[in-house]
Amino acid sequence: MRQPPEDLAPGVAFSGGNTLRLLRGGAELFPAMHGAIARAQQEVWLATYIFHDDEASHAMALALAEAGARGVKVCVVVDGFGSKDTLAVLQQWLVAPAVGLAVFRPVGNWWSLLQPGQLRRLHQKLCVVDGEVGFVGGINIIDDCRDLRHGALDSPRLDFAVELRGPLVAELAHTVRAMWTRASLGNDWRDEVVALARSAEPLARARRMLRRMRLLRRPALQAVALQPVQAAFLVRDNIRQRRAIERWYVQAIRRAQQRVDLVTPYFYPGRAFRRALCGAARRGVQVRLLLQGKPDYRFAAMAAQVLYAELLADGVQIFEYTAAFLHAKVAVVDGQWATVGSSNIDPLSLLLNLEANVVVNDAGFAADLSQRFEEALAGSRQVVAPDVGDSPVAFLRRGFVATVARWFLRMAGITGRY
């Protein structure tokens, strides 16, 4: 599969010389992170939506605190809404100066969420240690068998992350540092402005600060071998990479010749994405969607279900995962192109939240992810026909979901067609 043209996402390109390891759930991710943090000599950067207060989360906090106590620079940034209920505990676990804890857009009260900026959350899950090893995916710092809404779970949720080594780690590191800078400025921006004004070179200092806040920086143009593994790091932000993840997804689906396998818990794509899926299915590509069969949010499940009739009519196969809660956001195209990350296929992820995905162009990695997909299918049921089909009820449900989505996006400052 050819590299996407640069205009899909400015500053994004495949790089070679990377090694990647697919990790399933916190059961595989957390031990890998613990090992890397225990070996850290210089710095640890971590960004996450949820940092919970259960046993697994406490163990991670202890690992970070121990690294900070032995002189490693440790910086953690959490989302102010996703980690709202545990901030008090985190401030006890992650104590300065051993660990620097920053909160991205704190939520003081419920009505503060009505402010447009507060609807754009930090949804990335990133960790970089010493600039040598990075972790990216969809897994929050919370036990696999615990859910914020449902408490203890009978089975671990399905989720994935990637351990990454190689040139691409530098881009992960820059992004998580940028998130730290943005969150830190949110607390003391007045002091920063005063310091800039008093600086001997205020313009140069302002430019340096803005560079630190950019989630991606353009890689240097140089000849780089694209072996053994080609990989690219994508972010979705509200500056230069507004629709980067969506565009790479859509292009991969449009170029598919044999198979598209996509897993996401929250599925309500815009027109371009739906047309790409349906168009692929109509031209004979096997398109399989694995969506949640155990809904954690009723409206999110309804949003996906109102699209079933359209997708099934064009030959898209839909499966609902019932073995446990589904939280994975992954895809494989033609056994070669694959992605793992934090981005769902819904308006929140594609248009509002700060997201991060790694895209891999490698048959071996894609085969590993495809095998995990097939295993997950064994714990799912296939949707043969929508519950309400083309009935008036279906029409009303679809209109209701579209109206709510449009209202929410406009409240967040997003206009135009989705």
Side-chain angles (χ1 to χ4, degrees):
M1 183 171 290
R2 295 175 299 173
Q3 179 174 323
E6 188 176 318
D7 61 359
L8 280 181
V12 178
F14 279 118
S15 70
N18 300 291
T19 58
L20 297 95
R21 181 164 66 110
L22 183 65
L23 304 170
R24 175 171 175 168
E28 294 183 6
L29 172 64
F30 296 161
M33 289 177 63
H34 284 303
I37 293 169
R39 294 187 295 270
Q41 298 180 357
Q42 299 174 340
E43 57 184 17
V44 177
W45 296 84
L46 187 148
T48 185
Y49 179 65
I50 297 172
F51 201 129
H52 200 42
D53 60 357
D54 55 28
E55 186 175 343
S57 307
H58 191 204
M60 186 65 68
L62 284 175
L64 294 166
E66 289 172 0
R70 65 174 187 271
V72 176
K73 179 180 181 179
V74 180
C75 295
V76 177
V77 54
V78 301
D79 183 74
F81 181 75
S83 300
K84 175 172 60 70
D85 294 334
T86 56
L87 283 181
V89 174
L90 294 180
Q91 289 164 353
Q92 295 176 6
W93 290 350
L94 306 174
V95 180
V99 179
L101 175 64
V103 182
F104 183 82
R105 290 183 175 154
V107 178
N109 43 59
W110 68 267
W111 56 85
S112 66
L113 289 172
L114 299 178
Q115 302 173 10
Q118 287 285 43
L119 296 175
R120 303 169 186 261
R121 308 311 310 182
L122 165 63
H123 199 240
Q124 299 168 349
K125 291 86 177 177
L126 299 172
C127 181
V128 178
V129 179
D130 285 347
E132 295 181 355
V133 56
F135 302 91
V136 56
I139 303 173
N140 289 293
I141 308 301
I142 183 172
D143 189 277
D144 288 336
C145 289
R146 181 157 294 278
D147 184 81
L148 294 185
R149 285 174 55 84
H150 301 275
L153 306 177
D154 295 332
S155 303
R157 72 178 61 82
L158 181 64
D159 212 345
F160 293 100
V162 171
E163 180 186 82
L164 173 66
R165 298 175 186 272
L168 210 61
V169 174
E171 295 184 30
L172 272 69
H174 179 84
T175 295
V176 70
R177 289 191 192 107
M179 293 313 312
W180 166 264
T181 300
R182 291 188 186 186
S184 298
L185 285 178
N187 295 328
D188 54 9
W189 64 271
R190 292 180 179 84
D191 295 338
E192 290 288 344
V193 170
V194 171
L196 281 174
R198 293 176 176 173
S199 172
E201 299 178 335
L203 184 58
R205 183 169 175 179
R207 287 174 175 171
R208 287 195 297 270
M209 183 185 301
L210 289 173
R211 282 197 297 269
R212 292 200 308 268
M213 293 174 68
R214 287 174 55 185
L215 295 195
L216 275 181
R217 55 186 175 185
R218 183 178 296 275
L221 297 177
Q222 57 184 351
V224 179
L226 293 180
Q227 298 298 330
V229 176
Q230 299 180 26
F233 180 60
L234 298 177
V235 299
R236 203 225 71 82
D237 66 11
N238 296 298
I239 304 176
R240 300 181 68 230
Q241 311 288 344
R242 292 177 180 271
R243 306 194 80 147
I245 294 175
E246 179 184 18
R247 287 170 178 165
W248 276 55
Y249 256 116
V250 169
Q251 185 186 72
I253 295 167
R254 285 175 176 169
R255 291 182 172 182
Q257 298 179 355
Q258 299 172 340
R259 179 177 295 173
V260 174
D261 292 331
L262 188 152
V263 184
T264 182
Y266 307 122
F267 181 79
Y268 190 69
R271 296 186 183 187
F273 206 115
R274 296 201 309 272
R275 287 172 179 171
L277 290 171
C278 293
R282 286 196 301 270
R283 66 175 182 267
V285 176
Q286 184 183 38
V287 179
R288 299 187 293 178
L289 307 180
L290 182 59
L291 311 178
Q292 57 178 334
K294 281 187 168 184
D296 51 358
Y297 295 97
R298 188 172 180 180
F299 181 81
M302 183 191 302
Q305 291 164 1
V306 298
L307 302 178
Y308 282 6
E310 172 190 348
L311 296 166
L312 291 170
D314 283 318
V316 175
Q317 299 177 40
I318 302 173
F319 299 83
E320 293 181 337
Y321 187 69
T322 57
F325 281 100
L326 176 67
H327 196 254
K329 308 106 165 54
V330 305
V332 182
V333 178
D334 286 347
Q336 181 71 27
W337 186 99
T339 186
V340 178
S342 67
S343 181
N344 295 293
I345 311 301
D346 70 347
L348 282 176
S349 283
L350 298 180
L351 296 180
L352 292 177
N353 291 338
L354 303 177
E355 306 283 0
N357 275 45
V358 63
V359 177
V360 186
N361 189 19
D362 180 78
F365 183 88
D368 190 4
L369 189 54
S370 291
Q371 181 179 347
R372 305 292 185 106
F373 180 88
E374 298 295 340
E375 292 171 356
L377 281 188
S380 67
R381 60 170 179 262
Q382 185 170 5
V383 178
V384 179
D387 292 339
V388 291
D390 296 325
S391 69
V393 174
F395 177 79
L396 291 174
R397 289 175 64 184
R398 183 159 183 161
F400 171 71
V401 170
T403 300
V404 172
R406 192 179 306 113
W407 170 81
F408 187 85
L409 290 175
R410 287 184 178 178
M411 192 171 69
I414 302 294
T415 58
R417 296 167 62 181
Y418 173 60

